[in-house]
């Protein structure tokens, strides 16, 4: 399994995306996958448990270009659309998944399968999260 490398300062939505503002429930860096951890609050995904693997989208830089958000700060999350700012291990037509390490994206599934999106090229990801629960 190879983790994707993100350049936090470069992570931003491209074109028309569905973006929603949440409250950070932990320290979050742009480009990290998040899940709803409480009402209107997001925390870093973790593929080792079903409840924390349910990614809703990727955190992105705000208009100030912030590269880190502390717990309690407002954060923008791309729920659907193209996000750029990836540096390595992303390729066209390659699925991207939640990793077992909190807030990490990988090119292989974690313990619980949650596809975050599909690579469009080496720097852009089409965010379209889907939790896959097998019987």
């Amino acid at each position: 399994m190879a983790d994707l490398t993100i350049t936090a300062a470069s992570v931003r939505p491209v074109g028309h995306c569905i973006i929603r503002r949440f409250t950070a429930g932990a320290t979050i860096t742009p480009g990290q996958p998040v899940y709803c951890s409480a009402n209107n609050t997001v925390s870093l995904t973790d593929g080792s448990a079903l409840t924390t693997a349910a990614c809703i989208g990727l955190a992105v830089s705000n208009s100030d270009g912030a590269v880190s958000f502390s717990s309690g700060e407002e954060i923008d999350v791309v729920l659907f659309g193209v996000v750029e700012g990836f540096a390595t291990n992303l390729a066209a037509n390659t699925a991207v998944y939640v990793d077992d390490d909190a807030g990490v994206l990988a090119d292989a599934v974690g313990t619980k399968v949650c596809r975050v999106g599909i690579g469009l090229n080496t720097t852009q990801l089409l965010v379209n999260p889907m939790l896959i629960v097998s019987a």
Side-chain angles (χ1 to χ4, degrees):
M1 176 186 305
D3 294 343
L4 273 63
T5 303
I6 300 164
T7 306
S10 300
V11 174
R12 63 182 186 273
V14 176
H16 300 285
C17 294
I18 298 172
I19 301 171
R20 186 166 187 272
R21 184 159 285 173
F22 292 90
T23 300
T27 299
I28 299 172
T29 301
Q32 290 186 302
V34 296
Y35 75 100
C36 285
S37 55
N39 287 340
N40 296 315
T41 303
V42 292
S43 296
L44 297 174
T45 59
D46 180 342
S48 63
L50 190 60
T51 55
T52 58
C55 178
I56 62 161
L58 288 185
V60 292
S61 296
N62 61 18
S63 58
D64 297 334
V67 294
S68 182
F69 300 92
S70 299
S71 182
E73 288 187 296
E74 289 190 337
I75 184 170
D76 289 339
V77 176
V78 171
L79 305 176
F80 178 84
V82 178
V83 172
E84 68 180 4
F86 296 87
T88 63
N89 299 328
L90 183 62
N93 204 35
T94 300
V96 173
Y97 300 93
V98 168
D99 191 80
D100 281 355
D101 295 323
V104 176
L105 297 170
D107 63 1
V109 299
T111 302
K112 303 298 180 188
V113 181
C114 184
R115 189 193 73 209
V116 177
I118 302 288
L120 297 178
N121 53 49
T122 58
T123 63
Q124 296 180 333
L125 174 72
L126 172 60
V127 176
N128 185 16
M130 179 186 299
L131 181 63
I132 303 166
V133 180
S134 58

